[in-house]
Amino acid sequence: MALITEKPVKVFDLSQIGRGCLIWGRHSTWAEGKTGIVTSAAEDQLVVQYYPYTGNLKDYFTIPVQEAAAGEWEIRWSSRLEEIHMYGTATEDSRTETEDVADGT
C-alpha cells in the first residue's frame, strides 16, 4: 500500500488570471456583485480588494477555488479591458452585455 498517492485537484489557471486583473465577482448568497482588483492570486484562492463606498476604507473578499468549481461564484475578469472573460453561473442577459462590452459597442 502506497503512503502517498496522487490525485487531481482543481486549481485556478494563473496564466488566465493574476495579480492586477480587474474583476467582478458575485457569490451565490450575495444580492449584488462587487468590482475590484485581484491583489493576490494563488492556485487555491483569489484575493480581491474593492472599495466599499464607506469613507477611505478598502475591503477585500476571497474566492476559494473549491467554491468557484462548485458553481457558487459568478466571475468576470479582464487583464487589459480588451477582452472580458466569464466563469460561473452567468445569465443570458449578462453574457450578451459582456460580449457587447468586449466588442466595443
Side-chain angles (χ1 to χ4, degrees):
M1 177 165 35
L3 177 61
I4 299 173
T5 61
E6 290 185 39
K7 61 181 179 179
V9 294
K10 297 187 185 270
V11 296
F12 285 114
D13 183 354
L14 299 180
S15 69
Q16 297 293 316
I17 190 167
R19 190 169 181 222
C21 285
L22 300 175
I23 188 168
W24 176 90
R26 185 180 68 81
H27 190 269
S28 59
T29 60
W30 298 353
E32 297 180 0
K34 295 180 176 134
T35 303
I37 299 172
V38 177
T39 56
S40 175
E43 290 183 338
D44 63 336
Q45 169 177 281
L46 300 175
V47 178
V48 178
Q49 186 174 358
Y50 70 96
Y51 178 67
Y53 304 105
T54 54
N56 291 334
L57 302 175
K58 294 179 185 160
D59 208 348
Y60 74 95
F61 61 90
T62 59
I63 304 174
V65 72
Q66 301 91 343
E67 290 181 7
E72 295 179 31
W73 283 91
E74 180 180 351
I75 303 168
R76 299 175 194 163
W77 76 95
S78 180
S79 60
R80 297 181 301 177
L81 290 179
E82 293 176 352
E83 186 176 7
I84 298 173
H85 307 280
M86 294 177 51
Y87 178 85
T89 59
T91 63
E92 285 299 317
D93 292 340
S94 64
R95 280 191 194 119
T96 302
E97 176 184 354
T98 302
E99 289 171 1
D100 291 345
V101 171
D103 292 340
T105 59

